[in-house]
Amino acid sequence: MPVEITWWGHATCTLEDSGTRVLTDPLFARRLAHLRRRRGAPPPAAAAVADVVLVSHLHSDHLHPPSLARLAPGTRLLVPRGAPRAVPALRRLDHLRVTEVAPGDRTDVGDLVVRTVSAHHDGRRLPVGPHRVPALGFVVEGEARTYFAGDTGLFDSMAEEVGPVDVALLPVGGWGPYLGEEHLDAGRAAEALVRLMPRSAVPVHYGTYWPIGMDAVRPHEFHAPGAEFVRLAAERAPQVAVHLLGHGESVRPEVAR
């Protein structure tokens, strides 16, 4: 069966590979603190069906306990090492099989291998939180090698750690009008393509959530990152096929045989 990727919005994707369903950073809420979902309906119930769920870091738009609570009993959950200690609500999700991972770890899930890699991002639950838990990326290896970057900026060892990949799921924006260097915007995501040179890429982490009452503040930062990434990728990495998905849309990218 061909590898299939569905983007549900923000950093939430379903990857189907080798008969195994992988879900990334599930966030199913219409509203989260000061953020509201401005584009795309919340994912349907079927989106919560997965064999393994990857959580890249502790920020509440990536590790969201109410969304994780919707997962079926026995679902495997990979989280950054130290996450249960830092997030008490995670410890209460005792219907899930939680595994703590760190860069360099390899986890077998069905016919897949999930490699954990580094990310350049503040992994604390709160901006001044006491628990320093590293942010992560993941490479899912099956019929394809798919890199889920989570939230990250560019870092020197990115290409070396990630290695050759067929598909890159790259963040290209955020949930607010300003991004720091620990994020990829459209330009930095295009530079990541130059470093990684995947066969295909899917832009994520944009155009979904936005702060309440800030609709008129730099609205292009909400609407434009996906199309801007497509434009810059065509200039800087024309060999890479970029798939710009709408919420709930799927693609079966070409993979090496």
Side-chain angles (χ1 to χ4, degrees):
M1 177 181 175
V3 173
E4 184 171 270
I5 294 165
T6 303
W7 181 50
W8 301 112
H10 204 55
T12 306
C13 300
T14 293
L15 163 65
E16 298 187 62
D17 188 339
S18 303
T20 301
R21 285 175 62 95
V22 181
L23 179 64
T24 65
D25 286 352
L27 182 58
F28 302 145
R30 292 184 180 275
R31 178 171 174 174
L32 174 64
H34 64 299
L35 306 178
R36 65 183 174 91
R37 191 174 181 112
R38 285 195 57 206
R39 183 186 289 170
V49 177
D51 298 292
V52 63
V53 177
L54 311 179
V55 172
S56 63
H57 64 289
L58 303 192
H59 292 167
S60 56
D61 57 323
H62 293 259
L63 195 169
H64 185 241
S67 295
L68 296 175
R70 292 174 53 179
L71 301 173
T75 301
R76 189 84 176 271
L77 180 64
L78 304 188
V79 301
R81 187 168 296 164
R85 177 173 58 90
V87 184
L90 184 58
R91 301 197 295 269
R92 292 193 286 270
L93 299 176
D94 55 6
H95 68 297
L96 305 177
R97 294 190 295 144
V98 178
T99 301
E100 299 179 50
V101 294
D105 287 350
R106 298 172 64 90
T107 307
D108 294 324
V109 182
D111 291 330
L112 302 179
V113 173
V114 179
R115 289 196 295 113
T116 306
V117 299
S118 301
H120 177 54
H121 193 71
D122 186 343
R124 289 176 293 182
R125 182 66 166 175
L126 299 171
V128 294
H131 299 295
R132 290 190 174 273
V133 176
L136 306 174
F138 298 93
V139 179
V140 179
E141 299 180 343
E143 292 186 34
R145 291 164 298 187
T146 302
Y147 172 45
F148 169 61
D151 247 0
T152 188
L154 295 168
F155 56 99
D156 291 341
S157 64
M158 175 182 275
E160 178 182 358
E161 287 197 50
V162 172
V165 289
D166 298 293
V167 187
L169 310 179
L170 295 178
V172 301
W175 52 253
Y178 300 101
L179 289 174
E181 66 174 14
E182 292 189 349
H183 297 82
L184 296 180
D185 59 11
R188 289 190 287 269
E191 173 60 25
L193 289 188
V194 174
R195 299 185 184 192
L196 298 171
M197 277 301 166
R199 297 173 68 90
S200 303
V202 177
V204 302
H205 204 279
Y206 77 99
T208 308
Y209 292 92
W210 204 245
I212 294 170
M214 295 188 67
D215 289 8
V217 179
R218 297 175 64 85
H220 62 285
E221 297 288 358
F222 177 84
H223 294 284
E228 181 69 0
F229 174 67
V230 171
R231 183 184 70 81
L232 293 173
E235 291 179 359
R236 302 180 192 177
Q239 307 94 320
V240 180
V242 177
H243 303 282
L244 186 66
L245 301 180
H247 292 80
E249 290 186 347
S250 303
V251 64
R252 293 181 174 179
E254 181 181 352
V255 301
R257 296 296 181 183

